[in-house]
Amino acid sequence: MSLFDHALRLHREDPDSPLFRDGAPYPDDAQHRGRKSRSQGPDDRRRSGADVAAVLDAHFADPSSVPGDLVGAVHDLDVPIHRNDHIAAAACRVGAERVRQTGRWLVQHATDRCAATVGLALLGTVWDEDDIPLIKTIGLLSNHFGPLAAHAMERRRGGSDALLWLAERVTGWGRVYVVESLCKVGSTGSRSWMLRRACDGDYLNRYFAGEVATAAHLHEAITAANPDREVIDHTGLLLTMMADSAGVGVTLDHYPPAPAVLQAHCAHAGQLDPSVERYLVAAELADYLNQTAARRMAWPEGGRERVLGGYLAVLDRDDWCTVARAGLAAGDQRVTWLARTLAPRLNLRAFTDAVDR
């Protein structure tokens, strides 16, 4: 079975959700399990992809060659899963129509991920909108094909809508690649989605949370008079991701509007009904405001203390305490963690007598 048909079959089973386990195992797993490539990752990273480009040059120089010839030719090579200058240059040395035909055939018919990846890389160098359905489908296998699929759709008219479609159906690293591309291209529709749904709670969201906050103009949305509940809840999730994104993404202390966004989120969150998720977010942000990084922000006089006090006041309200205690009694591991770590530091009333410390 081709990688494309594998993705399409799994997608049809549940059209509106990510593929289970990102579509793993792939049909060619047996061919790749434990194999050693001929080029074991060149010491000079500038050479990465050069051997693939040489194969493409030889292939395109032969007028009698057909796309299927490339399947075996690239199987043992280290094919980059991100855009590569050498492969792009090889594609530019031949007519666009032949590049497109070769790329389409490999994406749709290759039974080996190496060849399908080369095909997707070729489609990333041309501009035809008719390629979008192919690119979206192979992109559902997002852990491997996500980077090139996202890059290819960035280059096409209508690519923003295609990226948005794919973003709803990928998780993990695939979501990182696609959301980062959405942040680059932007659109009215993608901004609305990024303000409400970009983060799905995965740890890897930390890589793009700051980019989403900037590209989607989070400051403008959350400081508006009446943001909807989805915007408020997602803002809280974005803020908690940025609070814990050191080393992987934009941190709150490197996001200039952070003080105003935190203040607005605190005010709006306190007007919502309590839930375990909202309690966790408020507690994590209150804990962050006690840390050194939060003190480095450009707060107005007494601003940090007021926002911290606002979160603590919400967390200690009777209805919010009731929800937190119910979560603890139900064995919710998130609440158990919070009760043993953050609650003692913040002296949260919900857990004062609930946990044996």
Side-chain angles (χ1 to χ4, degrees):
M1 180 180 290
S2 72
L3 277 297
F4 178 87
D5 286 342
H6 173 66
L8 186 60
R9 177 178 62 84
L10 294 177
H11 170 60
R12 285 173 173 166
E13 292 176 1
D14 191 356
D16 297 321
S17 302
L19 305 186
F20 179 65
R21 295 181 58 193
D22 193 55
Y26 294 179
D28 65 345
D29 266 14
Q31 304 170 45
H32 287 266
R33 193 177 300 117
R35 78 177 178 92
K36 293 183 179 180
S37 62
R38 287 200 296 262
S39 57
Q40 288 293 302
D43 293 335
D44 186 347
R45 291 183 178 273
R46 294 172 298 178
R47 294 286 302 164
S48 177
D51 48 358
V52 178
V55 169
L56 288 172
D57 283 337
H59 174 82
F60 289 132
D62 181 358
S64 66
S65 63
V66 295
D69 296 339
L70 286 168
V71 176
V74 300
H75 171 66
D76 287 330
L77 302 181
D78 287 314
V79 180
I81 66 170
H82 296 268
R83 184 197 175 278
N84 180 267
D85 288 339
H86 294 292
I87 296 174
C92 290
R93 288 191 284 268
V94 67
E97 186 55 29
R98 190 174 182 198
V99 169
R100 179 174 176 271
Q101 289 176 358
T102 302
R104 285 179 64 87
W105 191 95
L106 290 172
V107 167
Q108 192 164 7
H109 300 291
T111 56
D112 178 74
R113 70 189 67 180
C114 298
T117 304
V118 170
L120 190 53
L122 292 176
L123 290 184
T125 67
V126 291
W127 297 79
D128 201 308
E129 294 174 49
D130 292 341
D131 300 331
I132 286 180
L134 287 177
I135 297 168
K136 288 198 306 185
T137 300
I138 199 70
L140 291 167
L141 304 174
S142 61
N143 190 53
H144 185 88
F145 295 103
L148 283 171
H151 169 72
M153 288 190 288
E154 282 180 30
R155 296 171 53 83
R156 285 164 168 77
R157 181 177 301 170
S160 178
D161 290 340
L163 284 167
L164 198 55
W165 181 93
L166 190 56
E168 283 277 81
R169 294 164 176 83
V170 293
T171 58
W173 279 112
R175 197 176 189 89
V176 175
Y177 305 137
V178 175
V179 172
E180 286 180 340
S181 286
L182 274 174
C183 289
K184 293 178 188 176
V185 299
S187 72
T188 302
S190 64
R191 180 185 180 232
S192 176
W193 183 86
M194 286 192 289
L195 285 170
R196 294 167 174 83
R197 299 180 59 84
C199 289
D200 61 0
D202 189 283
Y203 177 83
L204 295 177
N205 293 168
R206 289 159 174 79
Y207 280 87
F208 60 70
E211 295 179 46
V212 168
T214 300
H217 305 293
L218 176 63
H219 170 252
E220 177 184 325
I222 195 62
T223 57
N226 295 298
D228 60 60
R229 294 189 178 193
E230 283 187 296
V231 169
I232 298 169
D233 285 336
H234 191 257
T235 296
L237 188 53
L238 282 169
L239 291 171
T240 59
M241 291 293 173
M242 294 169 70
D244 189 32
S245 63
V248 296
V250 178
T251 56
L252 278 179
D253 57 313
H254 285 86
Y255 173 58
V261 172
L262 282 161
Q263 180 178 349
H265 173 262
C266 180
H268 292 308
Q271 298 173 6
L272 301 179
D273 294 331
S275 68
V276 168
E277 289 74 15
R278 289 169 180 159
Y279 192 98
L280 289 165
V281 165
E284 289 182 38
L285 293 176
D287 188 62
Y288 174 81
L289 287 168
N290 264 330
Q291 298 174 20
T292 302
R295 301 172 191 272
R296 292 196 295 262
M297 296 181 190
W299 293 97
E301 182 71 25
R304 182 187 64 84
E305 293 79 4
R306 284 193 295 273
V307 177
L308 172 58
Y311 279 122
L312 292 175
V314 171
L315 290 166
D316 283 348
R317 279 176 11 194
D318 289 342
D319 52 346
W320 283 63
C321 288
T322 298
V323 166
R325 289 168 182 155
L328 184 65
D332 189 315
Q333 293 184 355
R334 300 169 300 170
V335 183
T336 301
W337 167 83
L338 186 150
R340 295 192 179 278
T341 55
L342 305 189
R345 296 203 292 262
L346 297 173
N347 194 28
L348 297 179
R349 187 166 70 87
F351 305 100
T352 300
D353 302 314
V355 179
D356 180 11
R357 289 179 262 167

